[in-house]
Amino acid sequence: MRSDLIKKGVEKTPHRAVLKSLGVIDSEMDKPFIAVVCAASDYVPGHQHLQEISRYVKDGIRNAGGVPFEFFTIGVCDGLAMNHKGMRYSLASRELIADSIEVMLTAHPLDGVVFIPNCDKIVPGMVMAAARMNLPSIFISGGPMLPGCVQNKRVGYSEIYEAIGQYSNGEIDDSVIKDYEDNACPTCGSCSGMYTANSMNCLNESIGMSLPFGGTEPAVTSARRRLAKESGERIVELVKQDIRPSDILTKKNMENALAVEMAIGASSNTVLHLLAIAHEAKVDIKLDDIDRVSRNVPQLAKLNPASSVFITDLNAVGGIQTVIKELSKKGLIHEDVLTVSGTQADRIKAAREADGVIVHKIDDPIRQDGGIAILSGNLAEKGSVVKQGAVKPEMMDFTGTARVFDGEQPACDAILGGKIKAGDVVVIRYEGPKGGPGMPEMLAPTAAIVGKGLDGNVALITDGRFSGASRGAAIGHVSPEAAEGGLIAFVEDGDKIHIDIPNRSLTLLVDDAIIEERKKKGVLPPKELDGYLKRYAQLVTSSNTGAVFKD
């Protein structure tokens, strides 16, 4: 066992003395030592209860004959980081999380790992660490928040931002805004829609790194706690069988995750994170692979923010395993792959049949292609991403007039101030991985567009990214980004832009000669930075490669 590096031999007497100062006894020295990596925090609703989840995990480890050792990671709440400098640290925290886990698991040799994440960047950061360390590993997230209820209607987090747009229009008053404030987020857990956190937890289950229902079982249920205990027991067995992330984080399993991503209309951020995970796992996944899967896999579920169906509803009808089972009927799932609990074929046999309403039958899909599309063209030579499952039909092929903003806040001010009109394409640039830096999420402007009733005739394009809670014709991850001289840096007010989602194209309708003249002016100089963001901007790569650090 790897932990023998600190347990076996007379020369390890000092190490055993340190372990015994923790309360470890002689009989435990021969048992597997299991790390429990927990992202608990009093500051993050999705993580507030994770120490309780951890207690059940540790009980399961002890049940199975292992010895648990818990340590903690950071975790940014995007809800609290939104709309200010803090959001620039959200994506950037992913690399810090992976690095800090590498430090802890290398300095303290253990035999297996249980990862307990829940929110947006923490899930991929931990999966990247699992791939890097390649120790037997299993994930148990904290689970989703229950939907809120405002004005007798179930709502998620995104509806709060949309309500601000309605408020600025005079459609609702202070009492309704207060109702949203008090009741939209009723429990602990990751925000209740198919936003990035829940999308990543569902994809992690699809890849095979967590037990069935790991992505959908609500945060507040006893079933979530039993799942935590079972995960604790299971990691000891994975150590004994020497099943490692490299056995599970394969191209076939990642293609399974991509198929599920398309079928459930997951957050566009999953593209960014799956590319980063693939890079860490040394698996060849590119935007072209994502586009191929998108074209071939139908959308079977449409969840909030794209509808009034919530992830708790999906859980009630069988969760992600039911989606996988339905996709398998058309050969869209690799069944011969390994998971943390048997093969994917084993899981499919045990899964429930689709109900036909929340999870559509494979022969009666919501749409024939997937919920996410990859667009390219002169405005996105290296690709861009749109959550097409949340775009209104009239916006799928749209030509509009550019309204250009060098940053998110001026765009928000213009939208809420009534300066954006039907037929406009809001262009927000210098918000990419390097230019932001940190590629901040654009929930505020997208939700303001929806709240203003403009999501059927206004589009938004950015080299930044969107919250999983965003909906509408919101095209992000434009690459190359403005800070690296991408064409988005040279768009001007009044230009025409053609968005053709069915044909996967994003085109600036300006003559090449004019574009070349504009390029002579150059791009904006880099922002004055210090601290971690300065180092991050120097190291980060483009969004089309997952915004990973340079090798």
Side-chain angles (χ1 to χ4, degrees):
M1 290 190 292
R2 187 169 177 267
S3 61
D4 288 349
L5 290 170
I6 55 173
K7 292 191 302 189
K8 297 294 184 180
V10 67
E11 70 278 7
K12 303 302 183 193
T13 301
H15 302 72
R16 290 193 296 274
V18 171
L19 290 169
K20 287 187 174 181
S21 76
L22 299 173
V24 177
I25 60 177
D26 286 336
S27 63
E28 291 177 317
M29 293 292 184
D30 293 324
K31 296 177 180 179
F33 279 12
I34 307 297
V36 178
V37 184
C38 182
S41 167
D42 288 343
Y43 213 7
V44 183
H47 294 188
Q48 184 186 39
H49 62 306
L50 292 191
Q51 277 193 280
E52 182 188 2
I53 298 297
S54 180
R55 285 198 296 273
Y56 282 92
V57 167
K58 290 186 283 188
D59 286 345
I61 292 169
R62 293 188 183 99
N63 287 349
V67 183
F69 294 88
E70 183 178 22
F71 68 88
F72 299 90
T73 70
I74 61 169
V76 171
C77 174
D78 283 12
L80 294 175
M82 199 75 67
N83 278 126
H84 60 87
K85 183 180 178 181
M87 179 48 74
R88 305 194 185 284
Y89 286 83
S90 179
L91 178 60
S93 72
R94 188 186 69 185
E95 271 57 36
L96 275 178
I97 290 165
D99 289 349
S100 65
I101 293 169
E102 175 192 350
V103 168
M104 290 296 288
L105 293 180
T106 305
H108 313 104
L110 303 181
D111 304 306
V113 192
V114 181
F115 291 95
I116 310 177
N118 212 25
C119 291
D120 296 29
K121 263 57 64 186
I122 298 87
V123 182
M126 286 189 176
V127 181
M128 290 163 69
R132 188 183 303 177
M133 298 306 299
N134 202 30
L135 295 168
S137 300
I138 193 169
F139 281 71
I140 170 68
S141 74
M145 181 185 291
L146 298 182
C149 183
V150 175
Q151 305 292 294
N152 298 315
K153 177 185 175 183
R154 291 198 307 168
V155 301
Y157 179 71
S158 62
E159 281 89 344
I160 308 172
Y161 279 88
E162 293 170 12
I164 294 171
Q166 295 165 353
Y167 182 83
S168 72
N169 273 355
E171 297 172 29
I172 59 176
D173 60 18
D174 290 340
S175 66
V176 177
I177 285 288
K178 187 64 162 60
D179 197 1
Y180 275 99
E181 180 181 321
D182 291 344
N183 298 305
C185 299
T187 70
C188 65
S190 47
C191 294
S192 55
M194 187 53 74
Y195 311 154
T196 305
N198 289 329
S199 294
M200 284 307 304
N201 284 322
C202 288
L203 272 104
N204 211 21
E205 179 184 339
S206 308
I207 288 174
M209 289 299 294
S210 70
L211 295 176
F213 293 95
T216 58
E217 185 63 46
V220 294
T221 64
S222 57
R224 169 64 58 181
R225 282 132 188 86
R226 293 195 300 272
L227 201 61
K229 192 177 288 185
E230 290 166 0
S231 299
E233 291 184 343
R234 185 63 193 155
I235 188 58
V236 177
E237 190 61 29
L238 291 170
V239 169
K240 291 176 181 177
Q241 296 176 358
D242 196 30
I243 295 174
R244 297 171 181 264
S246 58
D247 300 315
I248 298 173
L249 294 174
T250 63
K251 183 159 188 173
K252 283 185 176 181
N253 263 327
M254 289 192 188
E255 287 179 339
N256 283 349
L258 285 170
V260 172
E261 173 184 47
M262 301 307 165
I264 64 176
S267 165
S268 59
N269 284 322
T270 56
V271 171
L272 195 71
H273 298 317
L274 278 172
L275 289 169
I277 290 166
H279 177 268
E280 197 70 59
K282 296 179 173 57
V283 173
D284 185 22
I285 297 283
K286 295 184 173 63
L287 279 179
D288 289 345
D289 297 292
I290 296 170
D291 186 52
R292 170 177 51 81
V293 175
S294 171
R295 292 173 185 271
N296 294 329
V297 175
Q299 186 174 353
L300 302 181
K302 194 169 188 176
L303 304 169
N304 179 272
S307 80
S308 59
V309 178
F310 285 82
I311 192 168
T312 49
D313 302 319
L314 175 60
N315 185 73
V317 299
I320 292 302
Q321 299 307 312
T322 290
V323 176
I324 290 174
K325 185 167 191 166
E326 204 60 28
L327 291 173
S328 72
K329 294 176 181 178
K330 291 290 187 181
L332 297 170
I333 292 291
H334 300 290
E335 298 186 30
D336 59 341
V337 293
L338 193 63
T339 75
V340 293
S341 56
T343 65
Q344 192 62 259
D346 297 329
R347 292 188 174 196
I348 289 169
K349 287 177 186 176
R352 290 169 57 178
E353 293 289 339
D355 69 317
V357 178
I358 292 171
V359 179
H360 283 228
K361 299 287 186 178
I362 193 72
D363 291 323
D364 181 33
I366 294 169
R367 56 183 302 127
Q368 293 295 332
D369 56 355
I372 290 176
I374 307 300
L375 311 185
S376 58
N378 70 345
L379 196 48
E381 291 181 359
K382 294 184 179 179
S384 62
V385 182
V386 62
K387 188 175 180 177
Q388 64 172 341
V391 178
K392 286 188 172 182
E394 59 267 34
M395 295 299 291
M396 295 295 286
D397 188 348
F398 176 76
T399 300
T401 303
R403 295 293 308 280
V404 183
F405 302 91
D406 292 334
E408 177 187 9
Q409 193 56 53
C412 286
D413 294 341
I415 296 165
L416 292 173
K419 297 178 181 177
I420 301 302
K421 307 297 182 184
D424 286 343
V425 178
V426 177
V427 178
I428 303 177
R429 61 193 181 190
Y430 295 103
E431 295 287 20
K434 187 178 294 292
M439 206 179 180
E441 288 185 346
M442 303 289 170
L443 176 57
T446 57
I449 287 169
V450 173
K452 285 284 191 180
L454 296 171
D455 55 320
N457 46 41
V458 168
L460 192 154
I461 297 171
T462 181
D463 51 8
R465 60 195 177 92
F466 298 110
S467 167
S470 293
R471 60 188 173 108
I475 299 159
H477 305 207
V478 168
S479 183
E481 62 175 291
E484 293 195 320
L487 186 56
I488 191 172
F490 306 104
V491 181
E492 294 185 359
D493 281 343
D495 288 349
K496 295 295 182 181
I497 294 174
H498 183 206
I499 300 164
D500 186 351
I501 296 174
N503 289 306
R504 306 296 201 265
S505 70
L506 182 62
T507 308
L508 178 65
L509 302 176
V510 174
D511 288 341
D512 290 344
I514 295 174
I515 292 172
E516 289 305 313
E517 280 299 313
R518 292 178 184 177
K519 286 184 176 181
K520 292 176 183 178
K521 301 175 185 177
V523 300
L524 290 181
K527 296 173 182 175
E528 290 294 326
L529 301 170
D530 55 21
Y532 178 58
L533 280 186
K534 182 176 183 178
R535 297 196 301 276
Y536 181 84
Q538 291 170 343
L539 293 171
V540 72
T541 61
S542 175
S543 58
N544 70 297
T545 57
V548 297
F549 281 171
K550 297 173 184 175
D551 288 330

